[in-house]
Amino acid sequence: ETGVTQSPTHLIKTRGQQVTLRCSSQSGHNTVSWYQQALGQGPQFIFQYYREEENGRGNFPPRFSGLQFPNYSSELNVNALELDDSALYLCASSPSGGPYEQYFGPGTRLTVT
Amino acid sequence: GESVGLHLPTLSVQEGDNSIINCAYSNSASDYFIWYKQESGKGPQFIIDIRSNMDKRQGQRVTVLLNKTVKHLSLQIAATQPGDSAVYFCAENLRGGADGLTFGKGTHLIIQP
């Protein structure tokens, strides 16, 4: 069974640029959630995708957007990057829509300068 | 603000002893809770979950207790090992809310030899 994978592992961007992060869900999982984790904090929910539709969203502005593909992999896009967007971005997959049994990937470390 | 929090930022225990990590939540409408373990540089690792219709759930060397009366959640780790050193997060989901998890700030568990 393959776990959740994310790419890239590290990324450095300049303020105002755009970034795309990628996630492959665990085998058999059809739901992907994205979280932002600032240093020393717990993860914060960005949004969830279930069957290629956004299924719920946390308190993040519209410049955070996403996609889910028919194979259940997902992308997180962030436009107009700000310094405060520097964080670990985590993807979690689960076997069904909803909050249950979310398994996390290793994350992408984004640094905005 | 966050509805999930932890009583202690750091917990130090002797190897072989039992560890108890506590978590208080303020939202009585939360109906699902998860404990995660996060090692440095890695994504959160699923430990155990519990739904609000249960008081106790056991896994391998771990037990989660839920006290809805006082809105308290605990994680007990039996016979703590060096590999248990990590930051532990409790997370909750609000019934009827967006399908994301709300995380607390975490407790750093340190194992003394």
Side-chain angles (χ1 to χ4, degrees), chain B residues 37-84:
Chain B
K37 170 187 178 183
Q38 188 171 27
E39 296 173 279
S40 181
K42 297 184 179 180
Q45 176 187 346
F46 179 97
I47 302 173
I48 192 167
D49 61 356
I50 189 168
R51 302 200 185 197
S52 59
N53 61 352
M54 301 173 69
D55 296 324
K56 179 180 179 179
R57 192 163 186 224
Q58 288 183 289
Q60 186 176 14
R61 266 199 322 119
V62 295
T63 301
V64 55
L65 299 176
L66 177 62
N67 186 332
K68 295 179 285 294
T69 302
V70 295
K71 295 197 283 288
H72 183 267
L73 190 69
S74 68
L75 177 70
Q76 300 177 3
I77 305 173
T80 311
Q81 302 169 357
D84 295 328

Side-chain angles (χ1 to χ4, degrees), chain A residues 46-92:
Chain A
I46 303 175
F47 44 56
Q48 181 182 91
Y49 278 83
Y50 172 60
R51 293 182 175 176
E52 301 177 56
E53 297 279 337
E54 188 178 291
N55 189 38
R57 190 178 183 95
N59 189 26
F60 279 80
R63 61 189 184 84
F64 285 79
S65 63
L67 282 173
Q68 187 179 31
F69 301 99
N71 66 354
Y72 306 127
S73 66
S74 177
E75 286 183 354
L76 165 66
N77 299 290
V78 187
N79 293 323
L81 284 166
E82 301 176 359
L83 296 179
D84 284 349
D85 295 333
S86 294
L88 182 67
Y89 287 85
L90 295 160
C91 166

Side-chain angles (χ1 to χ4, degrees), chain A residues 19-59:
Chain A
V19 68
T20 297
L21 310 181
R22 294 178 174 82
C23 170
S24 291
S25 60
Q26 184 169 318
S27 177
H29 288 188
N30 59 15
T31 303
V32 171
S33 303
W34 286 92
Y35 292 80
Q36 180 194 68
Q37 186 176 25
L39 203 59
Q41 303 292 319
Q44 286 201 303
F45 174 65
I46 303 175
F47 44 56
Q48 181 182 91
Y49 278 83
Y50 172 60
R51 293 182 175 176
E52 301 177 56
E53 297 279 337
E54 188 178 291
N55 189 38
R57 190 178 183 95
N59 189 26

